[in-house]
Amino acid sequence: MWWFASPRIVFGSDSLEFLETLKGKALIVTDENLVKTGVVDKITKRLKKAGVEFEIYDRVEPDPSFEIVMEGVGIARTFQPDMIIGVGGGSSLDAAKGIRAIYENPDVDPEEISPWTELEEKGVKLILIPTASGSGSEGSNAIVLTKKEENRKVASIHPAIMADYAIVDPEMVRDLPLKVAAFTGLDALSHAMDAYVSAWKNDFTDGLCIQACKLLFKYLPRACTDRSDGEAVEKVHNAATIAGLAIGSSQAGLSHSIGHSLGAVFHIPHGFACGIALPYTTKYYSKFVIEQYEELAYHLGIQEKGEKAIDSLVDMTMDLLEKINVPGNFKELLEQYGIERNAFEEKLDILVNNASLDNTVLTLVEIPSEEDFRKLFLYAYEGKNIDF
Ligand SMILES: [Fe+2]
């Protein structure tokens, strides 16, 4: 038995107007920057129009910690909102998910949320409004929080984590800086490609993965070049939510085991870590799921079969990275963040260990050995073709 779930999705231009139909009290969960830059005003002006009383909790940081969730829960307990509105990238949306879950279930420890935790839904609505086109958090029942002291991300899923509404309005992402558009778009692509080859892949998500990949390969280069390209911006925004729906049921996979580990240790954007891992994980993992990759390649217009199809898919992914100005290896990426080879080598054991322990390995058809994880990190660092 398995399930597929989705929030009600309001999408396209003007979908923010949905906010004008709401009633009650709202706690907005966001970050300081989105308040300062006026992005949150787009939400509050519509809430005011609807007569919704609101409070803003704007202390969410990138890679939100359990402490951030608990602080938000404290504010909710005092303010007693009828709805939690998450506005932001994956971090704010995940924090909003955690806040709603614990506000409704005060006896649950957020660190212990797993698919088997008893979480009740008591009628507090969760509305998620993404300001980036990447995490797909607005469409998934996944939550990723960070255990700060261990530099480790804890990812989990639960049906009660799913938002009631997702508002996917391209107006929220039109001014995204090109670099952010690149790494968030790569996150979405990693979701779609991982979910298509997951051990939990299923008939309900396969089509979503294919469509998200098609949209991203086609429109991401344009959306990362010119944000006034309305068509490309909207298509990529939709693709991110579509890929989010897919991982909600099929889960992310190997590019995320590597990406979560690298991102948490070196504090680089999650989408860069996963997206750059993709060509390497695709080639490596194809030895277990060659038919699935062949099928995906076919839907992306690749005519070859077998190993050649995989190689073309890898080339196509490398080509996409180049078109959106992202290096094809970890070495160059880390150097952009001032992290040299010795720092990478010093942390290699931790990287391998964290990747092996990442929750995403649970949905791989085969879990790589520690030795293979080590090689994956090293090959992706050097930009070497996978030959093992
Ligand atoms: Fe991701």
Side-chain angles (χ1 to χ4, degrees):
M1 185 186 84
W2 197 229
W3 38 261
F4 175 83
S6 168
R8 292 186 186 188
I9 299 171
V10 195
F11 64 95
S13 301
D14 300 329
S15 45
L16 283 177
E17 282 175 17
F18 169 74
L19 293 168
E20 294 172 16
T21 67
L22 298 174
K23 289 183 177 59
K25 285 165 77 175
L27 175 64
I28 298 174
V29 176
T30 189
D31 66 62
E32 216 177 36
N33 190 43
L34 291 173
V35 174
K36 274 190 201 146
T37 52
V39 175
V40 172
D41 292 342
K42 295 179 191 204
I43 312 304
T44 54
K45 81 173 182 201
R46 280 148 173 133
L47 293 179
K48 282 178 194 161
K49 225 170 159 180
V52 171
E53 190 189 335
F54 61 84
E55 214 165 272
I56 300 174
Y57 172 59
D58 68 355
R59 285 173 41 84
V60 181
E61 293 159 350
D63 306 331
S65 61
F66 290 99
E67 288 78 12
I68 289 287
V69 167
M70 291 316 292
E71 190 177 70
V73 170
I75 290 167
R77 277 183 192 143
T78 311
F79 181 57
Q80 298 278 308
D82 306 295
M83 56 196 135
I84 309 282
I85 303 182
V87 182
S91 300
S92 290
L93 305 191
D94 281 13
K97 285 173 167 176
I99 291 168
R100 198 267 298 253
I102 305 304
Y103 173 46
E104 287 195 316
N105 298 274
D107 298 333
V108 171
D109 176 350
E111 289 187 36
E112 282 165 9
I113 294 178
S114 79
W116 302 277
T117 311
E118 275 189 39
L119 281 182
E120 279 184 63
E121 290 173 90
K122 297 177 183 163
V124 177
K125 294 271 177 273
L126 177 64
I127 300 166
L128 299 181
I129 309 174
T131 59
S133 312
S135 77
S137 180
E138 67 282 359
S140 87
N141 52 10
I143 181 166
V144 184
L145 297 169
T146 295
K147 228 170 145 55
K148 281 267 180 316
E149 61 275 22
E150 293 174 22
N151 251 348
R152 189 165 68 86
K153 294 195 177 186
V154 182
S156 194
I157 52 166
H158 194 289
I161 296 282
M162 180 66 83
D164 297 281
Y165 294 93
I167 305 180
V168 186
D169 192 323
E171 185 191 328
M172 296 302 285
V173 292
R174 202 147 282 149
D175 301 324
L176 213 60
L178 296 181
K179 184 176 164 184
V180 181
F183 66 69
T184 50
L186 286 175
D187 188 21
L189 183 67
S190 317
H191 295 156
M193 290 183 74
D194 277 1
Y196 197 74
V197 293
S198 158
W200 292 5
K201 85 191 242 78
N202 60 68
D203 293 340
F204 292 85
T205 58
D206 280 354
L208 297 169
C209 295
I210 291 168
Q211 183 62 4
C213 286
K214 275 184 168 177
L215 291 173
L216 290 161
F217 276 109
K218 180 169 179 187
Y219 292 105
L220 194 57
R222 276 167 55 186
C224 291
T225 308
D226 175 12
R227 295 302 287 175
S228 68
D229 184 339
E231 185 190 29
V233 167
E234 184 169 343
K235 293 289 188 189
V236 169
H237 203 38
N238 289 345
T241 307
I242 293 169
L245 291 171
I247 47 167
S249 178
S250 290
Q251 304 307 306
L254 192 53
S255 79
H256 275 72
S257 321
I258 303 258
H260 283 153
S261 175
L262 194 82
V265 169
F266 292 119
H267 306 289
I268 51 167
H270 168 74
F272 280 153
C274 297
I276 296 170
L278 264 183
Y280 306 94
T281 57
T282 300
K283 181 68 182 173
Y284 168 80
Y285 196 60
S286 68
K287 64 181 170 187
F288 307 118
V289 289
I290 191 152
E291 279 171 26
Q292 275 102 304
Y293 276 125
E294 243 183 339
E295 210 173 69
L296 180 61
Y298 168 80
H299 286 290
L300 294 171
I302 293 167
Q303 305 294 330
E304 292 113 320
K305 294 271 173 277
E307 280 301 319
K308 282 190 175 164
I310 311 308
D311 291 341
S312 293
L313 186 58
V314 168
D315 289 348
M316 194 173 167
T317 313
M318 277 292 189
D319 195 43
L320 178 71
L321 292 173
E322 199 182 320
K323 282 183 186 152
I324 61 173
N325 287 318
V326 174
N329 58 71
F330 286 153
K331 181 173 180 287
E332 272 178 72
L333 174 78
L334 291 175
E335 280 171 2
Q336 287 178 5
Y337 289 86
I339 300 153
E340 299 300 328
R341 178 184 293 272
N342 57 346
F344 172 77
E345 284 171 352
E346 216 172 87
K347 298 280 188 193
L348 190 55
D349 287 345
I350 297 171
L351 289 170
V352 169
N353 188 48
N354 285 359
S356 316
L357 290 176
D358 197 79
N359 280 352
T360 52
V361 301
L362 298 174
T363 52
L364 299 176
V365 298
E366 280 278 339
I367 300 177
S369 63
E370 289 217 353
E371 191 44 38
D372 279 0
F373 263 124
R374 184 175 302 274
K375 278 179 160 177
L376 274 166
F377 275 108
L378 288 168
Y379 277 54
Y381 186 82
E382 301 292 355
K384 255 174 85 175
N385 287 335
I386 297 287
D387 55 7
F388 60 94

